[in-house]
Amino acid sequence: MNVLLLGAGGREHAFAWKIKQSKQVDKLYIAPGNSGTQEFGENIKIAATDFPALREFVLSHQVSMVVVGPEDPLVHGVYDYFKSIPELQFVKVIGPSKDAAQLEGSKDFAKKFMVRHGIPTAAYETFTKESLYKGFQFLDSLKSPYVLKADGLAAGKGVLILDSVDEAKRELSVMLGEAKFGGAASKVVVEEFMKGIECSVFVLSDGKNYQLLPNAKDYKRIGEGDTGPNTGGMGAVSPVPFVDDSFMKKVKERIIQPTIDGLRKDNLVYKGFIYFGLMNCQGEPRVVEYNCRMGDPETEVVLPRIKSDLIELFEVLEIEGLDKKKIEIDERAAATVVMVSGGYPENYRKDIVIHGVQDIADSIVFHAGAKYEDTRLLTNGGRVLAVTSFGNGIQDAVNTSYKSIEKIFFDDMYFRKDIGFDV
Ligand code: AMP
Ligand code: GLY
C-alpha cells in the first residue's frame, strides 16, 4: 500500500523511519517532510494543512493511508475532510476527527470533558473578557503559583505559571484583552497548580479499544535542571522509572479507560494516538493536558521501542480491531537529546552547516529542523537534530547519545547535558 505521512519535524522523521520498516508499505510520501524523511520516502511540496492539494495527491498516487503527525491538520479537520469526499472515504486517516481533536485544540473543551467523565485533573474555571472580574475572584481563591492557559492552539506557548496573584491578574487581563496569543485567548482557563513530576503516557486507539505504547518523559525547559523558558522539547527518555505497575494500574483505570469510554459516549470519532500529559502527585496520576497526536521529541524514543509493525496496527483502527492485536515492546531503554541552534527558543540563525551526522553509528540521528542544499546538511529551524540511543537503562542510553553528539558540530549549537537527570 502507499502511505502519506503529514508533517516535517523530528517526530515525522521517526515515523518515516518506522513506517518504512513495514512489510505492508510500497511507497511512502511525506508532506512536506524534511531532510531526514527523504531517506525513507519521497517528500512532496504540500503543506500538511492544504487539504485540497492533499486530496489531489492521494487520488493521483493511489494512497490508501494518511498518517498525521502534527496537531494542526487534525484540529482543522483533516479526518473529516477525507471522510466527506466519496472517492476518499476508504482512505484510512490515522488521527481523531475534528471534534475529538478539540481535546487538544481547546483547553476549555478538554477540562469540561474530564469533569464530565470523572477524570482527575486540576480544579479550574474558564473566563472571557466579560467575566474578567470573576477571574480575579477565582485567582484570589487559589494558592500560588497560578496557572493561566490560553484556550486554543498556541504551539506550546499558551501556558503561564506565575508566582504573584497581582501578576496573574495582570496577565489574565492582557491575555483576554489583547488577544496576546494570536486569538488563542478569547477564553482563558485558570487552574490549580499541581505539584509533582510529569510523565507522558501514549495509547493508540480505534475508538473502542486501545493499545498502550511505551511511556516517556520529555524535558521542556531550555536550561539544565529544568530552568529557563519552555521549548518544544530538549530531550526525552523512555521508559520512566517511576511509572511502575501500581501507578500504571491507576492511570488505566482512572484516566485511559474513562477517556476512551468518554469519547464513545460523546460520539467523538477517534482513530489515532492519544497523548496523556500526566502529573504524578505523590503516586496519584492527574491529567495536565491531552494531545491528539504523538509528542515531539517523545516519538523519537517511543517508536524505536516498538517492535511491532505499526502499519498493521493502523490498518485495524477503522474496524475497531485493536483488541485482537498485540504490541511488542523492546525492553531496552531509549533516550534522545535534542540539539538546537543557539538563541532558541528566541531568535536563532538558520542555514548553518552541520558536520559529522554521517559518522554516527551507535545512535539514530533524527532530523528536526534541517535541510539539504546539494549534499550539505544545513540547519533549518530551532530544534535541529534529535539524537536517539538505546541502552541498558536510561543513563546508559543518554551516555551513548552524548558520545555520538561529540562527533556532531555546527556553529552556535546547544544541547542540555542533563537529560534524564531526575529519573
Ligand atoms: P500544557 O500546555 O497544558 O501541557 O502546559 C504546559 C506545561 O505547563 C505542562 O507541561 C506543565 O509543565 C505545566 N503545567 C500546566 N498545567 C499545570 C498545572 N495545573 N499544574 C502544574 N503545572 C502545570
Ligand atoms: N513534547 C511535548 C509535545 O509534543 O507536546
Side-chain angles (χ1 to χ4, degrees):
M1 110 176 68
N2 295 342
V3 175
L4 172 62
L5 169 66
L6 305 185
R11 168 182 48 211
E12 287 72 27
H13 186 179
F15 265 114
W17 169 85
K18 180 70 184 158
I19 289 171
K20 199 55 199 171
Q21 291 167 28
S22 169
K23 289 192 273 304
Q24 312 296 326
V25 175
D26 299 313
K27 285 217 75 169
L28 173 63
Y29 301 100
I30 310 97
N34 67 18
S35 50
T37 61
Q38 76 183 45
E39 188 187 333
F40 302 101
E42 187 181 331
N43 288 347
I44 55 168
K45 284 200 178 71
I46 300 177
T49 46
D50 186 350
F51 299 167
L54 292 174
R55 160 188 150 163
E56 286 310 307
F57 186 86
V58 163
L59 284 172
S60 57
H61 291 76
Q62 290 81 45
V63 169
S64 51
M65 182 182 286
V66 179
V67 180
V68 188
E71 61 276 17
D72 245 28
L74 293 166
V75 172
H76 289 105
V78 68
Y79 182 94
D80 312 63
Y81 180 83
F82 273 79
K83 296 298 154 189
S84 71
I85 293 165
E87 315 94 276
L88 291 177
Q89 272 183 36
F90 299 103
V91 175
K92 296 187 173 85
V93 180
I94 310 308
S97 63
K98 182 175 185 176
D99 286 346
Q102 294 304 307
L103 281 184
E104 175 164 2
S106 163
K107 301 276 185 199
D108 179 52
F109 178 94
K111 295 299 281 193
K112 286 203 178 100
F113 177 91
M114 287 185 261
V115 169
R116 188 158 64 242
H117 299 292
I119 296 164
T121 185
Y124 85 104
E125 280 189 36
T126 301
F127 302 98
T128 61
K129 215 173 187 166
E130 287 66 41
S131 57
L132 181 63
Y133 187 68
K134 284 217 173 81
F136 291 170
Q137 289 178 324
F138 186 61
L139 281 167
D140 280 326
S141 78
L142 296 173
K143 285 206 248 11
S144 170
Y146 304 90
V147 183
L148 308 182
K149 299 184 173 183
D151 182 54
L153 284 188
K157 296 184 183 72
V159 176
L160 294 177
I161 298 181
L162 304 160
D163 288 328
S164 101
V165 73
D166 292 334
E167 210 186 340
K169 288 177 181 173
R170 204 159 45 237
E171 281 298 338
L172 181 63
S173 321
V174 171
M175 282 169 94
L176 287 170
E178 298 174 8
K180 182 172 177 175
F181 298 97
S186 56
K187 285 185 203 165
V188 173
V189 167
V190 177
E191 65 178 39
E192 166 206 357
F193 181 82
M194 297 186 284
K195 223 173 141 48
I197 171 160
E198 281 180 80
C199 62
S200 308
V201 166
F202 306 93
V203 305
L204 180 65
S205 179
D206 58 20
K208 182 178 176 205
N209 314 285
Y210 72 88
Q211 288 283 350
L212 202 59
L213 309 180
N215 58 64
K217 183 176 196 309
D218 77 334
Y219 293 82
K220 291 196 174 80
R221 304 292 200 91
I222 187 77
E224 278 153 25
D226 287 339
T227 54
N230 258 323
T231 70
M234 297 297 294
V237 298
S238 175
V240 185
F242 69 74
V243 180
D244 55 15
D245 290 349
S246 118
F247 185 77
M248 254 341 274
K249 185 166 182 283
K250 294 178 192 169
V251 172
K252 285 186 201 167
E253 288 174 5
R254 301 177 192 172
I255 294 171
I256 301 176
Q257 196 60 53
T259 299
I260 306 287
D261 295 344
L263 288 168
R264 215 166 168 80
K265 279 186 202 139
D266 295 348
N267 283 317
L268 297 168
V269 175
Y270 212 115
K271 312 273 177 201
F273 295 100
I274 313 176
Y275 169 140
F276 299 86
L278 304 179
M279 192 70 81
N280 177 352
C281 305
Q282 294 182 314
E284 305 302 312
R286 300 171 81 192
V287 177
V288 179
E289 63 164 343
Y290 286 113
N291 290 317
C292 62
R293 35 105 193 150
M294 285 298 292
D296 194 351
E298 293 94 322
T299 304
E300 291 94 302
V301 291
V302 169
L303 291 188
R305 295 192 59 227
I306 299 177
K307 290 186 182 168
S308 316
D309 185 322
L310 207 52
I311 296 295
E312 287 178 8
L313 298 168
F314 290 162
E315 276 196 291
V316 300
L317 298 186
E318 203 73 47
I319 54 162
E320 298 182 343
L322 260 190
D323 53 330
K324 293 176 195 70
K325 293 279 174 186
K326 264 216 157 71
I327 295 199
E328 220 193 318
I329 308 291
D330 195 320
E331 289 301 317
R332 289 175 296 171
T336 196
V337 177
V338 175
M339 304 182 70
V340 306
S341 192
Y344 174 83
E346 271 98 48
N347 296 330
Y348 54 84
R349 285 195 295 145
K350 288 187 186 177
D351 301 319
I352 310 167
V353 182
I354 307 168
H355 302 276
V357 170
Q358 68 289 346
D359 299 331
I360 306 303
D362 300 331
S363 305
I364 312 168
V365 181
F366 292 118
H367 299 193
K371 65 177 179 195
Y372 281 112
E373 206 175 74
D374 303 322
T375 54
R376 294 190 312 169
L377 188 63
L378 306 180
T379 72
N380 191 35
R383 291 193 291 173
V384 178
L385 304 170
V387 181
T388 296
S389 313
F390 286 110
N392 296 314
I394 303 279
Q395 202 52 57
D396 187 33
V398 171
N399 288 344
T400 302
S401 284
Y402 286 132
K403 277 229 175 69
S404 295
I405 285 177
E406 285 174 14
K407 300 189 182 126
I408 302 175
F409 176 79
F410 55 91
D411 247 6
D412 278 348
M413 68 181 202
Y414 169 77
F415 57 93
R416 272 179 63 167
K417 293 172 192 68
D418 67 343
I419 298 306
F421 77 100
D422 54 342
V423 295

